[in-house]
Amino acid sequence: MLDQFTIATKGGVVLWSKGYTDISGNPVDSLIRDVLIQNTRTSSTKYHSGAYSVQWAFANELNVIFVAVYQKILQLPYLEELLRLVKRHFVARFAQEIKELIDPECAEFPSFDAFDDEFEQVWRAVEERYQKERKEMKSVPRKFEDTKKFQSTAKGAKLELEELAQAGEMEIGRKQPSKMRTWNERKKDGEEGGKKKGAKNKKGKENRVWEGKMSKEAMQALDFSGKKDGSESDGARVAALVDENSKGVRTKDGVYEVADVAERSSDFQLLGDEEAEQDTPKGIFGMFKSLTSGRVLSKDILSEPMARMREHLVNKNVATDIADEICQTVAQSLIGVRVGGLQNIRKLIEQSMETALTRILTPISSTDIIRDIDHANSSGRPYTMAFVGVNGVGKSTNLSKVCYWLLQNNKRVLIAACDTFRSGAVEQLRVHVRNLRALSENQSVEIFERGYGKDSAGIARDAISFGTSNGFDVVLIDTAGRMQDNEPLMRALSKLVSVNSPDKILFVGEALVGNEAVDQLQKFNQAMRDFSGQSRPRQIDGIILTKFDTIDDRVGAALSMTYITGQPIVFVGTGQTYTDLRKMNVGQVIRALLR
C-alpha cells in the first residue's frame, strides 16, 4: 500500500503531495538531504529511511523529482511503472508552470492541486492491472516442464540444448575459419612486397655516427638560436598547432563553443548502423533469444544475461564494481515483468540500461563556464580554475586548450605556474603562452611565475591577487602531477584549494584507465576532505577526459568517473592541437557502451 507520493524540485520545494496515512519522520526530506544535496551518486532509485522505503524518478529537463513512500516490509513491483506514468502526465500538464516557477522573476507560486484526480486515476489503473496479472498467474497452475526440477532431468537438459541450438546461442563466440590462400597467391604477394620494399629502401650508404658524437645535420636541426619570434619558420610551426577542421562554432550571441564529440566521426570510431544491425543477433542482446514469450522475468532467468552484460561493460573499460552495481539495478527493475516476445525483451533491456546510464551521465550541475565567468567578473574578481590530476595525463596541455577557448571568447587570461616540482613545467607554460598569443586575435594571455621550489599555494594566492588588480577575467592554476597515494603532495594540493578556494576544480584524467580511475578519484576527494581542516571541504567539481581519440569505443572511463564523483565531464581532449577540445555527448557515449 502506498503511504505518500510527493512531487518536488531537487532543491526541496514541494510542488504537490498526497498522503494516505500518518508517517513518522520525513523520508522525503531525508532523501533530499542524504542523497540529492550530498550528490551521492548511485545507480539505484531506492532509498531506506527508518521503517520506510523511498523510490523515485527524475524529470531532468525540469529539475523535478517524483517520490513514492511505502512501508519497507512491502514489495510494490508496480512502482516503477507508476512513477513513469505520473511523471509523464504531470510534465505534460504542468511543464509551463514549472518553467515559470524556475524564473527568478516569478512572483506567485502556481497551484498544482488540480493534479489530485488525475493521480488517483493513474494509480488505480496501475494497481488494478497489477492485481489482474497476479490473479492470472495464480489461476493457471504451472506445468512441471516450467519448473527448475524438470530442467535438472535428462529430458529437460536435452530440450534446453535443443532450444539453445535453435536460437543460435551455440554459435556465439565461434570464430569463422580463415580462407586458405593458394601457393600462387602467396608467391604473388611476396613478389609485390619485395618490389615495395626494394623501392622504399633504395638509399645510399649512410655515414656512421660514433657514440658520443653528433652529425652536422642533427646539430643544425636542434639549433634554435638563430630563430626569433615572428619568423616565417616559427609562424609555420605555430600554425600547425591548430586544426582548422576541428575548430568550434560561434553562436548567434557571439560565444565561441567547442565542437561536440558526436559531430566528429574521427574522435572515436563506432560501428556503422548497417554493421550494428547485422551484429545485434549475436551481440550483447542476442543472449535473450532463449527466453520464450509469455514468461515472467525472475532473478534466475536474468542472472545469465546480466552476467554477460556485466562482462560487456567491463570490456568497454567500465570499472568492475560499477558494472556490478549497474547490472544489479537493471536486473532488479526487470524482475516480475512479463515478456511478450523477443522484440519486447530486447526493448525492455535496452530501455532499462539506457535509463540507468543516462541517469548517471547526465550533469547535475551547470556546465556553462562562460556564464559563471561573467557572473564572477560582475562582482569585480576573476574566475579561478584549478587543474589537478596524476602525473602525465596532460594537465598543462589541456589547460592551454581551455585557454585557447577562453581567448576566442575575448577573455583576459592569466596562467599561474604553480607546478614548482616538475623540471621544465614553467618553460612549457611559457611556450604555450607564446603560441596562444600568435594564434589568437585576442592576445590577452600572460603567465604568472615564481620559479621552482616555492609554495604553490602562495603562488596561486599572489596570482589571483595580481589578476584582480590588473583586470584579468580568468586565472588558470596549473598544479603539479601527483599520485593519489603521495600524502605530502596531496596535503600541498589540499592547502592550495583551502587557501585560494578556486571557483572550479577540474580533475584531468585519462580515458584509457579502468579500475584505476575509481581509485584515483576516490583518493583525491578523500585527501582534499581529510587535509583541508575546514568544516565544508571542497571536492572535485568537474572532469576533463584526455586521450579520448585513442580508445575507439571503449568509453567506460567516462561512466566510471562520473559515477564516482557525481560531477560532469566538462571537456574531452581528442588530440594535440589547441582546437582538439570537445564537449561530451551523453547519447553518443551510451550508444558506444551498449554496442
Side-chain angles (χ1 to χ4, degrees):
M1 181 66 182
L2 194 64
D3 290 351
Q4 186 183 35
F5 198 101
T6 301
I7 303 174
T9 66
K10 292 183 182 179
V13 179
V14 177
L15 305 179
W16 179 88
S17 183
K18 184 80 171 180
Y20 296 94
T21 184
D22 294 333
I23 296 179
S24 59
N26 201 324
V28 178
D29 285 353
S30 299
L31 169 68
I32 295 174
R33 182 181 62 252
D34 298 339
V35 178
L36 302 182
I37 295 180
Q38 294 295 329
N39 289 333
T40 302
R41 177 65 72 177
T42 173
S43 59
S44 175
T45 57
K46 289 185 179 180
Y47 169 76
H48 300 295
S49 176
Y52 299 96
S53 290
V54 180
Q55 195 164 339
W56 71 90
F58 286 121
N60 287 322
E61 68 277 10
L62 297 175
N63 208 32
V64 173
I65 182 173
F66 299 79
V67 185
V69 182
Y70 59 97
Q71 294 287 336
K72 188 189 295 186
I73 60 174
L74 298 178
Q75 295 292 331
L76 302 180
Y78 61 83
L79 274 186
E80 190 83 23
E81 184 180 4
L82 176 64
L83 287 165
R84 180 178 60 83
L85 292 175
V86 171
K87 180 176 75 170
R88 188 176 70 184
H89 282 263
F90 188 82
V91 170
R93 185 168 180 179
F94 298 107
Q96 187 60 36
E97 287 82 350
I98 298 173
K99 291 178 181 177
E100 293 175 358
L101 181 63
I102 298 174
D103 188 350
E105 298 181 358
C106 179
E108 184 178 355
F109 191 88
S111 174
F112 301 94
D113 295 339
F115 189 64
D116 289 1
D117 295 337
E118 191 168 349
F119 173 79
E120 290 290 339
Q121 293 176 6
V122 173
W123 181 35
R124 298 303 176 193
V126 172
E127 195 171 36
E128 287 175 4
R129 184 164 53 190
Y130 171 69
Q131 297 294 344
K132 182 179 179 181
E133 289 179 355
R134 288 191 62 187
K135 287 181 180 179
E136 290 177 355
M137 291 174 60
K138 290 181 179 179
S139 60
V140 179
R142 189 166 52 161
K143 297 180 180 179
F144 176 67
E145 288 78 5
D146 294 334
T147 63
K148 274 186 164 184
K149 191 173 289 186
F150 173 75
Q151 295 176 2
S152 62
T153 63
K155 185 177 180 182
K158 184 178 179 181
L159 287 175
E160 186 176 6
L161 287 174
E162 291 176 357
E163 288 180 3
L164 289 173
Q166 292 175 0
E169 290 290 325
M170 304 298 289
E171 297 180 4
I172 292 179
R174 185 176 295 173
K175 296 182 178 180
Q176 296 293 331
S178 59
K179 183 180 178 181
M180 183 176 293
R181 296 186 300 166
T182 65
W183 172 253
N184 290 332
E185 289 175 341
R186 294 185 182 183
K187 185 178 179 181
K188 185 178 179 181
D189 291 345
E191 291 175 354
E192 292 178 355
K195 290 179 182 179
K196 292 180 181 178
K197 185 176 180 182
K200 185 177 181 181
N201 296 332
K202 192 175 182 181
K203 295 181 179 179
K205 184 178 179 181
E206 296 182 356
N207 295 328
R208 175 177 295 179
V209 179
W210 299 96
E211 186 177 357
K213 300 289 184 179
M214 183 177 290
S215 66
K216 184 179 179 180
E217 292 79 7
M219 292 180 65
Q220 290 177 350
L222 295 174
D223 183 12
F224 295 95
S225 59
K227 297 179 182 179
K228 297 180 180 179
D229 293 341
S231 65
E232 184 177 352
S233 59
D234 199 33
R237 176 181 60 82
V238 171
L241 297 174
V242 171
D243 184 1
E244 295 293 335
N245 296 325
S246 63
K247 276 190 173 182
V249 295
R250 291 197 179 275
T251 63
K252 295 180 180 179
D253 300 331
V255 177
Y256 176 84
E257 291 186 348
V258 297
D260 194 291
V261 72
E263 297 174 3
R264 312 293 181 186
S265 60
S266 60
D267 290 333
F268 59 88
Q269 299 294 329
L270 298 179
L271 291 174
D273 293 338
E274 184 177 343
E275 184 181 353
E277 289 177 4
Q278 294 175 358
D279 186 63
T280 299
K282 297 183 182 179
I284 186 62
F285 295 109
M287 64 188 70
F288 303 106
K289 280 189 170 183
S290 61
L291 299 180
T292 57
S293 61
R295 298 182 68 176
V296 176
L297 298 182
S298 65
K299 185 175 181 180
D300 293 334
I301 293 174
L302 290 169
S303 60
E304 183 181 355
M306 286 300 108
R308 297 193 187 184
M309 179 67 76
R310 173 193 173 278
E311 183 180 358
H312 176 79
L313 291 176
V314 172
N315 290 334
K316 294 289 186 177
N317 216 22
V318 179
T320 306
D321 293 343
I322 295 173
D324 286 337
E325 293 188 23
I326 293 173
C327 289
Q328 289 174 9
T329 302
V330 172
Q332 189 66 32
S333 67
L334 293 173
I335 292 176
V337 176
R338 180 181 293 276
V339 181
L342 174 61
Q343 189 62 33
N344 290 337
I345 295 171
R346 286 180 52 193
K347 189 175 180 180
L348 267 175
I349 298 294
E350 288 176 354
Q351 287 179 345
S352 298
M353 185 57 67
E354 285 181 9
T355 300
L357 297 179
T358 302
R359 185 169 60 247
I360 296 170
L361 290 169
T362 301
I364 59 176
S365 59
S366 173
T367 57
D368 191 349
I369 296 178
I370 296 297
R371 185 191 64 182
D372 296 339
I373 292 173
D374 293 338
H375 179 72
N377 296 159
S378 64
S379 59
R381 66 176 183 86
Y383 186 84
T384 56
M385 300 169 65
F387 293 74
V388 304
V390 300
N391 310 75
V393 294
K395 291 184 298 301
S396 301
T397 301
N398 283 274
L399 179 147
S400 65
K401 294 179 184 179
V402 173
C403 183
Y404 177 84
W405 168 64
L406 293 170
L407 291 174
Q408 299 303 308
N409 284 294
N410 298 317
K411 303 299 180 184
R412 295 194 65 205
V413 183
L414 179 66
I415 299 177
C418 296
D419 184 355
T420 62
F421 183 79
R422 177 173 62 89
S423 177
V426 177
E427 287 76 11
Q428 181 184 9
L429 290 178
R430 287 179 191 161
V431 173
H432 283 310
V433 168
R434 185 173 71 245
N435 292 342
L436 290 167
R437 285 175 178 169
L439 286 170
S440 306
E441 296 179 2
N442 173 26
Q443 298 183 359
S444 298
V445 53
E446 294 184 20
I447 182 172
F448 187 93
E449 57 173 292
R450 288 289 185 266
Y452 296 97
K454 306 293 179 60
D455 179 29
S456 58
I459 296 175
R461 182 185 62 238
D462 294 341
I464 295 172
S465 177
F466 179 83
T468 304
S469 59
N470 289 274
F472 282 91
D473 299 316
V474 186
V475 177
L476 303 180
I477 303 173
D478 184 38
T479 64
R482 65 205 76 214
M483 295 305 295
Q484 61 272 20
D485 298 318
N486 191 324
E487 182 174 333
L489 287 179
M490 293 306 299
R491 284 184 179 275
L493 175 63
S494 181
K495 177 183 176 183
L496 185 149
V497 171
S498 301
V499 170
N500 299 285
S501 187
D503 294 288
K504 185 81 73 175
I505 303 173
L506 294 177
F507 179 86
V508 183
E510 289 183 338
L512 302 169
V513 295
N515 291 320
E516 183 69 13
V518 176
D519 185 60
Q520 289 174 3
L521 283 166
Q522 285 179 333
K523 290 186 176 179
F524 260 81
N525 274 333
Q526 188 65 41
M528 286 195 286
R529 284 196 299 266
D530 295 344
F531 303 143
S532 68
Q534 298 179 337
S535 58
R536 292 187 176 182
R538 292 286 303 280
Q539 297 186 66
I540 292 165
D541 300 317
I543 300 166
I544 296 180
L545 204 56
T546 68
K547 305 177 184 178
F548 207 69
D549 55 322
T550 65
I551 58 172
D552 197 45
D553 62 347
R554 301 180 70 228
V555 296
L559 181 66
S560 300
M561 291 184 177
T562 308
Y563 186 94
I564 290 299
T565 61
Q567 300 300 334
I569 294 177
V570 182
F571 293 115
V572 170
T574 58
Q576 294 297 317
T577 70
Y578 292 118
T579 54
D580 287 325
L581 198 67
R582 301 281 187 274
K583 292 183 295 183
M584 193 190 74
N585 184 283
V586 173
Q588 185 82 347
V589 172
I590 291 175
R591 287 193 294 273
L593 284 170
L594 295 182
R595 285 186 179 177

mmCIF file of all heavy atoms in Angstrom, residues 181-197:
data_model
loop_
_atom_site.group_PDB
_atom_site.id
_atom_site.type_symbol
_atom_site.label_atom_id
_atom_site.label_comp_id
_atom_site.label_asym_id
_atom_site.label_seq_id
_atom_site.Cartn_x
_atom_site.Cartn_y
_atom_site.Cartn_z
ATOM 1 N N ARG A 181 44.957 -19.495 -48.585
ATOM 2 C CA ARG A 181 45.425 -18.955 -49.852
ATOM 3 C C ARG A 181 46.230 -19.999 -50.614
ATOM 4 O O ARG A 181 46.921 -20.820 -50.035
ATOM 5 C CB ARG A 181 46.304 -17.725 -49.605
ATOM 6 C CG ARG A 181 45.555 -16.557 -48.963
ATOM 7 C CD ARG A 181 46.441 -15.341 -48.890
ATOM 8 N NE ARG A 181 47.630 -15.625 -48.084
ATOM 9 C CZ ARG A 181 48.700 -14.855 -48.049
ATOM 10 N NH1 ARG A 181 48.746 -13.778 -48.821
ATOM 11 N NH2 ARG A 181 49.731 -15.161 -47.290
ATOM 12 N N THR A 182 46.159 -19.909 -51.944
ATOM 13 C CA THR A 182 46.919 -20.842 -52.778
ATOM 14 C C THR A 182 48.382 -20.430 -52.803
ATOM 15 O O THR A 182 48.751 -19.311 -52.423
ATOM 16 C CB THR A 182 46.352 -20.848 -54.199
ATOM 17 O OG1 THR A 182 46.551 -19.558 -54.780
ATOM 18 C CG2 THR A 182 44.864 -21.186 -54.196
ATOM 19 N N TRP A 183 49.234 -21.363 -53.329
ATOM 20 C CA TRP A 183 50.657 -21.085 -53.401
ATOM 21 C C TRP A 183 50.930 -19.913 -54.351
ATOM 22 O O TRP A 183 51.789 -19.065 -54.109
ATOM 23 C CB TRP A 183 51.413 -22.332 -53.864
ATOM 24 C CG TRP A 183 52.868 -22.063 -54.149
ATOM 25 C CD1 TRP A 183 53.471 -21.989 -55.357
ATOM 26 C CD2 TRP A 183 53.877 -21.833 -53.180
ATOM 27 N NE1 TRP A 183 54.801 -21.710 -55.210
ATOM 28 C CE2 TRP A 183 55.083 -21.615 -53.871
ATOM 29 C CE3 TRP A 183 53.886 -21.784 -51.777
ATOM 30 C CZ2 TRP A 183 56.282 -21.360 -53.227
ATOM 31 C CZ3 TRP A 183 55.076 -21.524 -51.133
ATOM 32 C CH2 TRP A 183 56.265 -21.305 -51.846
ATOM 33 N N ASN A 184 50.191 -19.858 -55.487
ATOM 34 C CA ASN A 184 50.391 -18.766 -56.441
ATOM 35 C C ASN A 184 50.047 -17.414 -55.829
ATOM 36 O O ASN A 184 50.707 -16.406 -56.080
ATOM 37 C CB ASN A 184 49.540 -19.001 -57.695
ATOM 38 C CG ASN A 184 50.057 -20.160 -58.533
ATOM 39 O OD1 ASN A 184 51.259 -20.446 -58.508
ATOM 40 N ND2 ASN A 184 49.166 -20.819 -59.271
ATOM 41 N N GLU A 185 48.979 -17.385 -55.005
ATOM 42 C CA GLU A 185 48.613 -16.123 -54.344
ATOM 43 C C GLU A 185 49.692 -15.686 -53.371
ATOM 44 O O GLU A 185 50.037 -14.510 -53.290
ATOM 45 C CB GLU A 185 47.275 -16.286 -53.609
ATOM 46 C CG GLU A 185 46.088 -16.408 -54.547
ATOM 47 C CD GLU A 185 44.802 -16.693 -53.801
ATOM 48 O OE1 GLU A 185 44.897 -17.150 -52.632
ATOM 49 O OE2 GLU A 185 43.739 -16.462 -54.373
ATOM 50 N N ARG A 186 50.244 -16.627 -52.610
ATOM 51 C CA ARG A 186 51.318 -16.283 -51.664
ATOM 52 C C ARG A 186 52.545 -15.782 -52.410
ATOM 53 O O ARG A 186 53.209 -14.822 -52.012
ATOM 54 C CB ARG A 186 51.686 -17.509 -50.828
ATOM 55 C CG ARG A 186 50.577 -17.976 -49.912
ATOM 56 C CD ARG A 186 51.061 -19.105 -49.057
ATOM 57 N NE ARG A 186 49.998 -19.608 -48.197
ATOM 58 C CZ ARG A 186 50.171 -20.573 -47.291
ATOM 59 N NH1 ARG A 186 51.365 -21.136 -47.154
ATOM 60 N NH2 ARG A 186 49.175 -20.977 -46.545
ATOM 61 N N LYS A 187 52.900 -16.473 -53.541
ATOM 62 C CA LYS A 187 54.082 -16.080 -54.304
ATOM 63 C C LYS A 187 53.899 -14.676 -54.873
ATOM 64 O O LYS A 187 54.812 -13.843 -54.850
ATOM 65 C CB LYS A 187 54.305 -17.093 -55.429
ATOM 66 C CG LYS A 187 55.594 -16.856 -56.226
ATOM 67 C CD LYS A 187 55.765 -17.929 -57.285
ATOM 68 C CE LYS A 187 57.035 -17.688 -58.095
ATOM 69 N NZ LYS A 187 57.215 -18.702 -59.164
ATOM 70 N N LYS A 188 52.684 -14.391 -55.370
ATOM 71 C CA LYS A 188 52.403 -13.075 -55.930
ATOM 72 C C LYS A 188 52.512 -11.985 -54.873
ATOM 73 O O LYS A 188 53.098 -10.928 -55.097
ATOM 74 C CB LYS A 188 51.001 -13.074 -56.548
ATOM 75 C CG LYS A 188 50.656 -11.780 -57.271
ATOM 76 C CD LYS A 188 49.275 -11.891 -57.903
ATOM 77 C CE LYS A 188 48.920 -10.582 -58.596
ATOM 78 N NZ LYS A 188 47.566 -10.652 -59.203
ATOM 79 N N ASP A 189 51.967 -12.250 -53.661
ATOM 80 C CA ASP A 189 52.068 -11.279 -52.570
ATOM 81 C C ASP A 189 53.519 -11.045 -52.188
ATOM 82 O O ASP A 189 53.936 -9.930 -51.870
ATOM 83 C CB ASP A 189 51.283 -11.762 -51.334
ATOM 84 C CG ASP A 189 49.786 -11.743 -51.593
ATOM 85 O OD1 ASP A 189 49.377 -11.107 -52.584
ATOM 86 O OD2 ASP A 189 49.046 -12.368 -50.806
ATOM 87 N N GLY A 190 54.303 -12.106 -52.183
ATOM 88 C CA GLY A 190 55.719 -11.964 -51.830
ATOM 89 C C GLY A 190 56.473 -11.124 -52.833
ATOM 90 O O GLY A 190 57.317 -10.304 -52.481
ATOM 91 N N GLU A 191 56.188 -11.319 -54.140
ATOM 92 C CA GLU A 191 56.865 -10.531 -55.164
ATOM 93 C C GLU A 191 56.493 -9.056 -55.058
ATOM 94 O O GLU A 191 57.342 -8.173 -55.148
ATOM 95 C CB GLU A 191 56.505 -11.071 -56.549
ATOM 96 C CG GLU A 191 57.100 -12.444 -56.845
ATOM 97 C CD GLU A 191 56.608 -12.987 -58.192
ATOM 98 O OE1 GLU A 191 55.732 -12.323 -58.794
ATOM 99 O OE2 GLU A 191 57.099 -14.044 -58.621
ATOM 100 N N GLU A 192 55.189 -8.770 -54.845
ATOM 101 C CA GLU A 192 54.762 -7.373 -54.710
ATOM 102 C C GLU A 192 55.366 -6.729 -53.472
ATOM 103 O O GLU A 192 55.801 -5.585 -53.489
ATOM 104 C CB GLU A 192 53.230 -7.298 -54.642
ATOM 105 C CG GLU A 192 52.561 -7.682 -55.949
ATOM 106 C CD GLU A 192 51.059 -7.634 -55.837
ATOM 107 O OE1 GLU A 192 50.568 -7.395 -54.714
ATOM 108 O OE2 GLU A 192 50.368 -7.824 -56.857
ATOM 109 N N GLY A 193 55.419 -7.498 -52.361
ATOM 110 C CA GLY A 193 56.037 -6.963 -51.147
ATOM 111 C C GLY A 193 57.509 -6.680 -51.351
ATOM 112 O O GLY A 193 58.059 -5.701 -50.853
ATOM 113 N N GLY A 194 58.187 -7.564 -52.097
ATOM 114 C CA GLY A 194 59.613 -7.350 -52.352
ATOM 115 C C GLY A 194 59.851 -6.117 -53.186
ATOM 116 O O GLY A 194 60.798 -5.360 -52.961
ATOM 117 N N LYS A 195 58.992 -5.867 -54.180
ATOM 118 C CA LYS A 195 59.142 -4.676 -55.005
ATOM 119 C C LYS A 195 58.950 -3.411 -54.179
ATOM 120 O O LYS A 195 59.711 -2.455 -54.279
ATOM 121 C CB LYS A 195 58.123 -4.705 -56.149
ATOM 122 C CG LYS A 195 58.403 -5.770 -57.205
ATOM 123 C CD LYS A 195 57.334 -5.753 -58.288
ATOM 124 C CE LYS A 195 57.583 -6.849 -59.335
ATOM 125 N NZ LYS A 195 56.523 -6.846 -60.369
ATOM 126 N N LYS A 196 57.904 -3.424 -53.341
ATOM 127 C CA LYS A 196 57.656 -2.248 -52.500
ATOM 128 C C LYS A 196 58.808 -2.022 -51.543
ATOM 129 O O LYS A 196 59.247 -0.910 -51.290
ATOM 130 C CB LYS A 196 56.342 -2.419 -51.724
ATOM 131 C CG LYS A 196 55.112 -2.403 -52.607
ATOM 132 C CD LYS A 196 53.866 -2.583 -51.779
ATOM 133 C CE LYS A 196 52.618 -2.591 -52.660
ATOM 134 N NZ LYS A 196 51.397 -2.806 -51.850
ATOM 135 N N LYS A 197 59.293 -3.093 -50.956
ATOM 136 C CA LYS A 197 60.384 -2.969 -50.006
ATOM 137 C C LYS A 197 61.635 -2.452 -50.690
ATOM 138 O O LYS A 197 62.360 -1.602 -50.160
ATOM 139 C CB LYS A 197 60.643 -4.330 -49.349
ATOM 140 C CG LYS A 197 61.695 -4.291 -48.253
ATOM 141 C CD LYS A 197 61.825 -5.640 -47.599
ATOM 142 C CE LYS A 197 62.876 -5.590 -46.506
ATOM 143 N NZ LYS A 197 63.058 -6.913 -45.866
#
